[in-house]
Amino acid sequence: MLLRHPLIRRVQEVRLVYPRRVAVKVTLRTPACWAETPRRRADGSPWLMLLSSDARPLEERCYEAYLASRPE
């Protein structure tokens, strides 16, 4: 079920913590590049898609803080 989430690349460990908890260790997908798509924005500029290192499209808003903290 966790592997269906678009931000999760791999589930490393799942532990049952008695009596009502589950501890999960995951590897998140990290943004690797922007790819230009054939779509155009209303102003005519290219529509860019954020891709992970395993070529999965990523939701920009989920990575806003991460992208803002990286040098250009």
Side-chain angles (χ1 to χ4, degrees), residues 30-35 49-53:
T30 54
C33 67
W34 292 96
M49 180 186 309
L50 185 61
L51 296 177
S52 68
S53 55

Side-chain angles (χ1 to χ4, degrees), residues 30-38 41 46-53 55-68 70-72:
T30 54
C33 67
W34 292 96
E36 189 173 322
T37 67
R41 295 185 183 274
W47 188 280
L48 300 176
M49 180 186 309
L50 185 61
L51 296 177
S52 68
S53 55
R56 294 282 184 104
L58 299 175
E59 187 66 43
E60 271 180 68
R61 63 185 167 80
C62 296
Y63 289 93
E64 282 176 351
Y66 175 84
L67 294 170
R70 296 185 59 159
E72 290 192 27

Side-chain angles (χ1 to χ4, degrees), residues 8-53:
I8 296 176
R9 184 173 185 170
R10 179 175 47 238
V11 175
Q12 296 174 347
E13 178 183 359
V14 177
R15 287 185 307 123
L16 296 174
V17 182
Y18 187 80
R20 291 179 246 170
R21 289 183 29 207
V22 175
V24 181
K25 186 176 181 180
V26 298
T27 301
L28 296 176
R29 287 192 165 91
T30 54
C33 67
W34 292 96
E36 189 173 322
T37 67
R39 284 181 63 187
R40 296 283 176 203
R41 295 185 183 274
D43 66 359
S45 63
W47 188 280
L48 300 176
M49 180 186 309
L50 185 61
L51 296 177
S52 68
S53 55

